[in-house]
């Protein structure tokens, strides 16, 4: 691929609901650009973007793919992102390096939860955007309804550029709202101009009014002329659009058919025309040498710096660090400094990635997106710069995972291979986390959803040839006591020669402090238990609190006072007193009205207004206590509740089902509470059967 200067680059992220047509749009654009000689399809599993086995099998996008397209002297870096919220981390990484967005909407399905989520992400980063309505060749597709829904949601910013023309139930052309002219596709792939059909005049008038009103909103002068009934020239409209789209004040709406490859020429022309090149965008970091702000601004004349926004680690194609050049011009064999790792990296060859293919380039200019192979220490969200000008950029915030499963190796002896494979997968996907839960004897894999974790499970099997079993995690219950008891235990064993003798008398009582496992005191008088055995007694306590006698869960909130006992001058030993203490602890614990404690989470669920009733009803079934609701604006509510961790199992799936994928949740540990009798009974029975 040729080298492109900053002004000839456009970085565009494709966002939208799952199945809206992002991947097939990329296929159509590549076909029309001449990059491919035929269009692949998601159903056939031969698209440029969805090349991973898991994506082909599931017929969905799982990872963000970078697909650069050469178009009439410009380079448009398309970032094709997953539509399912399960893979939100991939979307967040792509949005972080995009300078503009295309929100893809299915003309038949209209505005869906993924559409609104895409819009909110653009708002958060203030990204210039366009809406592209797909599937206009389908009978039930309605461009008019989509525009109306968008205007109802987002107001006068919505500016429709086109209207579809249908003849004999076929999608044959469109009306250009700016020019107020009709165009029909011909067999050569170009368009023929003709008069706007009578049946389109009413809709043209509606769309023209919406477009002109959006233009009027861009300046006081235009607003005054609009109210005076003056017409705007085509040049004035286009100039206002350039300013308005760049500022995010106007959002053009275009349409087409991916399968017929119609509408992409105008889309690409408008991307080049109205979207900003990187040098029109702001970008700043911190020079760690002097702690001053480094205004990179994608300026090719400034010292080199780049941000690693994504990592590909594949057993077949190797490791690539995907970068956006924030300043300067990167060249092959540059030596760059990673401030975060305090290490220098030799870049070696420079690449541009197109789907799963890497193509070598000589240099990458500021604002461009490319890749570096086999960096030794650098990871996603790290910054590369020169050692003379050590820069760091703000790391992209990535969604925190809340769905966990316990996992074990299917085949014994694979544990090390699984650990190594997971470390590579975690390098690629920052929304995954592995936690070693020693208290409950389990290793947990955290992800965004159950489907997300299943994809990891399948990736381990298909790519890394190791298998794991995902299971319901063991909840971190704890055990404690409710009353004070006085107990003792004498450990006496004779087996020829020296025997074993240890005798302790202890008082056990609840402390009420569930943060502290135990408090150990000694009030022994008269040397009934010599001081040199006190550490052995505490070792016995430490062992005993690891797994309580009720259901083998850790003990907490217990005070133990060693007040008396006895010893044998020959047979007593540290081991004897340790064993005696453990047995005394177990005996006393069961006499002290023991209870099982369950962890309680503070849960926040964010959903559209219409689903709050369903959410609260479902939470009540899960033994949750709803504490209140907070309006968030934009038609969303935050439901706040306390809920047992036990009831969070598969909550992601239920929430997705109840809200059509529009709800999100988060939680954090709040406290421990006594588990209800029926819950405790089940846990105790399960522990006794092990």
């Amino acid at each position: 691929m040729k080298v492109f200067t900053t002004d000839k680059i456009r970085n565009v992220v494709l966002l939208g609901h799952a199945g809206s047509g992002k991947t097939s749009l990329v296929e159509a654009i590549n076909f029309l650009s001449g990059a491919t000689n035929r269009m692949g399809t998601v159903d056939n599993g031969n698209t440029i973007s969805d090349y991973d086995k898991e994506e082909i099998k599931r017929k969905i996008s799982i990872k963000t793919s970078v697909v650069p397209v050469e178009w009439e002297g410009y380079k448009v870096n398309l970032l094709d992102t997953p539509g399912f919220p399960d893979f939100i981390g991939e979307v967040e990484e792509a949005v972080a390096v995009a300078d503009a967005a295309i929100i893809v909407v299915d003309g038949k399905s209209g505005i869906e939860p993924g559409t609104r989520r895409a819009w909110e992400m653009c708002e958060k980063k203030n990204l210039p955007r366009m809406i592209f309505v797909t599937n206009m060749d389908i009978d039930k597709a309605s461009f008019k309804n989509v525009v109306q829904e968008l205007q109802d949601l987002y107001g006068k910013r919505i500016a429709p550029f086109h209207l579809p023309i249908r003849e004999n139930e076929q999608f044959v052309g469109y009306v250009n709202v700016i020019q107020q002219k009709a165009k029909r596709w011909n067999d050569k792939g170009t368009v023929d101009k003709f008069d706007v059909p009578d049946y389109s005049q009413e809709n043209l008038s509606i769309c023209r009014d919406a477009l002109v009103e959006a233009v009027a909103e861009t300046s006081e002068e235009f607003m005054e002329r609009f109210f005076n009934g003056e017409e705007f020239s085509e040049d004035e409209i286009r100039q206002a659009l350039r300013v308005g789209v760049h500022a995010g004040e106007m959002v053009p709406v275009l349409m087409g058919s991916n399968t017929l490859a119609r509408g992409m020429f105008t889309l690409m022309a408008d991307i080049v025309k109205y979207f900003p090149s990187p040098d029109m965008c702001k970008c700043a970091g911190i020079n760690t040498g002097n702690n001053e702000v480094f205004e990179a601004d994608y300026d090719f004349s400034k010292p080199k710096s780049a941000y690693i926004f994504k990592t590909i680690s594949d057993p077949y194609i190797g490791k690539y660090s995907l970068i956006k050049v924030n300043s300067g011009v990167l060249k092959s064999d540059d030596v760059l400094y990673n401030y975060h790792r305090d290490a220098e990296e030799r870049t070696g060859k420079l690449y541009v990635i197109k789907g799963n293919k890497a193509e070598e380039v000589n240099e990458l200019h500021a604002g461009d997106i490319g890749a570096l192979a086999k960096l030794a220490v650098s990871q996603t969200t790290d910054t590369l710069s020169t050692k003379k000008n050590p820069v760091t950029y703000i790391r992209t915030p990535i969604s925190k995972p809340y769905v966990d499963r316990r996992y074990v190796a299917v085949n014994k002896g694979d544990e090390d291979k699984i650990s190594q494979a997971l470390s590579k997968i975690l390098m690629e996907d920052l929304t995954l986390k592995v936690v070693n839960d020693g208290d409950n004897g389990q290793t947990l894999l955290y992800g965004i959803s159950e489907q997300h974790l299943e994809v990891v499970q399948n990736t381990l099997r298909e790519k890394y040839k190791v298998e794991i079993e995902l299971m319901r995690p063991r909840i971190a219950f704890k055990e404690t006591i409710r009353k004070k008891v006085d107990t003792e235990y004498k450990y006496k064993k004779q087996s020829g020669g020296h025997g074993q003798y240890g005798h302790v008398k202890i008082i056990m009582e609840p402390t009420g402090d569930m943060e502290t496992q135990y408090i150990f005191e000694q009030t022994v008088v008269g040397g009934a238990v010599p001081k040199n055995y006190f550490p052995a007694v505490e070792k016995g306590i430490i062992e005993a609190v690891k797994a309580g006698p009720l259901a083998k869960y850790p003990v907490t909130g217990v005070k133990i006072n060693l007040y008396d006992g006895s010893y044998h001058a020959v047979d007593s030993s540290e081991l004897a007193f340790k064993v005696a203490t453990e047995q005394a602890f177990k005996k006393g614990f069961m006499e002290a009205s023991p209870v099982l404690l369950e962890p309680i989470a503070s849960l926040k669920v964010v959903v559209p207004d219409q689903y709050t009733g369903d959410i609260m009803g479902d939470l009540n079934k899960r033994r949750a206590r709803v504490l209140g609701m907070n309006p968030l604006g934009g038609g969303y509510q935050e439901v706040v509740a306390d809920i047992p961790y036990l009831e969070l199992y598969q909550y992601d799936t239920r929430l997705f089902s109840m809200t059509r994928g529009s709800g999100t949740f988060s939680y954090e540990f709040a406290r421990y509470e006594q588990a209800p009798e029926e819950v405790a009974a089940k846990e105790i029975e399960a522990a006794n059967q092990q």
Side-chain angles (χ1 to χ4, degrees), residues 186-207:
N186 56 39
D187 294 338
K188 299 174 185 175
T190 57
V191 291
D192 298 322
K193 295 179 182 178
F194 67 106
D195 292 334
V196 177
D198 291 340
Y199 58 79
S200 295
Q201 290 290 351
E202 184 182 348
N203 284 338
L204 172 59
S205 178
I206 294 169
C207 288

Side-chain angles (χ1 to χ4, degrees), residues 321-332:
S321 299
L322 272 59
I323 59 168
K324 185 179 187 184
V325 183
N326 287 355
S327 60
V329 178
L330 259 59
K331 297 187 177 181
S332 301

Side-chain angles (χ1 to χ4, degrees), residues 370-432:
L372 304 173
K374 300 176 182 176
L375 293 182
V377 296
S378 299
Q379 296 179 18
T380 304
T381 73
D382 283 357
T383 298
L384 298 172
S385 58
T386 62
K387 203 160 189 179
K388 287 184 180 177
N389 192 66
V391 177
T392 179
Y393 295 101
I394 294 174
R395 295 181 184 274
T396 304
I398 301 294
S399 292
K400 185 179 175 181
Y402 289 102
V403 177
D404 62 334
R405 292 291 183 272
R406 178 162 58 106
Y407 78 88
V408 295
V410 171
N411 300 311
K412 287 185 179 179
D414 276 355
E415 287 81 5
D416 286 346
K417 289 180 183 176
I418 291 168
S419 178
Q420 290 170 13
L422 277 175
S423 69
K424 291 178 181 177
I425 294 173
L426 265 63
M427 193 187 298
E428 285 189 281
D429 189 345
L430 301 187
T431 59
L432 288 170

Side-chain angles (χ1 to χ4, degrees), residues 367-577:
D368 208 350
I369 288 173
L372 304 173
K374 300 176 182 176
L375 293 182
V377 296
S378 299
Q379 296 179 18
T380 304
T381 73
D382 283 357
T383 298
L384 298 172
S385 58
T386 62
K387 203 160 189 179
K388 287 184 180 177
N389 192 66
V391 177
T392 179
Y393 295 101
I394 294 174
R395 295 181 184 274
T396 304
I398 301 294
S399 292
K400 185 179 175 181
Y402 289 102
V403 177
D404 62 334
R405 292 291 183 272
R406 178 162 58 106
Y407 78 88
V408 295
V410 171
N411 300 311
K412 287 185 179 179
D414 276 355
E415 287 81 5
D416 286 346
K417 289 180 183 176
I418 291 168
S419 178
Q420 290 170 13
L422 277 175
S423 69
K424 291 178 181 177
I425 294 173
L426 265 63
M427 193 187 298
E428 285 189 281
D429 189 345
L430 301 187
T431 59
L432 288 170
K433 183 174 68 172
V434 173
V435 174
N436 185 17
D437 179 12
D439 286 346
N440 295 290
Q442 60 184 355
T443 309
L444 300 173
L445 181 62
Y446 280 82
I448 298 297
S449 67
E450 188 170 14
Q451 178 174 238
H452 186 201
L453 296 180
E454 286 173 359
V455 166
V456 175
Q457 183 183 33
N458 291 344
T459 300
L460 285 169
R461 183 175 60 248
E462 294 295 329
K463 281 190 179 179
Y464 296 95
K465 311 305 177 189
V466 289
E467 290 193 61
I468 61 170
E469 184 181 354
L470 295 174
M471 295 169 286
R472 184 170 186 157
R474 194 172 188 232
I475 298 300
F477 285 89
K478 289 189 177 180
E479 301 179 21
T480 194
I481 54 176
R482 289 180 293 178
K483 71 178 186 181
K484 184 176 181 179
V485 296
D486 187 336
T487 188
E488 67 174 309
Y489 191 88
K490 185 181 290 184
Y491 178 64
K492 189 175 181 182
K493 191 174 181 183
Q494 198 70 41
S495 56
H498 285 305
Q500 294 286 350
Y501 183 91
H503 177 210
V504 294
K505 292 183 179 181
I506 60 175
I507 293 173
M508 297 177 65
E509 59 185 306
T511 65
D513 176 13
M514 296 309 155
E515 300 288 321
T516 307
Q517 275 196 298
Y518 71 91
I519 297 172
F520 175 50
E521 289 183 352
Q522 319 92 22
T523 57
V524 178
V525 293
V529 177
K531 286 184 179 180
N532 59 305
Y533 291 128
F534 289 175
V537 171
E538 186 164 11
K539 283 181 183 177
I541 295 168
I542 292 170
E543 284 300 313
V545 298
K546 285 181 181 177
L550 194 61
K552 300 182 180 133
Y553 285 106
V555 172
T556 193
V558 178
K559 180 181 176 183
I560 303 100
N561 177 20
L562 173 68
Y563 73 92
D564 201 0
S566 62
Y567 76 102
H568 189 280
V570 176
D571 291 347
S572 285
S573 66
E574 288 189 5
L575 176 62
F577 273 97

Side-chain angles (χ1 to χ4, degrees), residues 660-675:
R660 295 181 62 235
S662 61
T664 60
F665 74 100
S666 61
Y667 62 85
E668 59 183 19
F669 173 76
R671 64 189 172 279
Y672 274 91
E673 288 182 1
Q674 184 177 332

Side-chain angles (χ1 to χ4, degrees), residues 79-98:
L79 296 117
D80 181 18
T81 66
F84 277 96
D86 314 64
F87 314 107
I88 187 67
E90 296 282 332
V91 186
E92 290 165 335
E93 290 173 347
V95 168
V97 295

Side-chain angles (χ1 to χ4, degrees), residues 605-617:
V605 187
V606 176
V607 292
D609 291 332
Q610 67 264 35
Y611 298 118
T612 52
D614 293 338
I615 295 302
M616 288 193 284

Side-chain angles (χ1 to χ4, degrees), residues 281-298:
C281 304
K282 293 292 183 183
C283 173
I286 297 293
N287 184 322
T288 59
N290 55 24
N291 284 331
E292 292 181 358
V293 174
F294 175 67
E295 302 283 357
D297 294 341
Y298 307 108

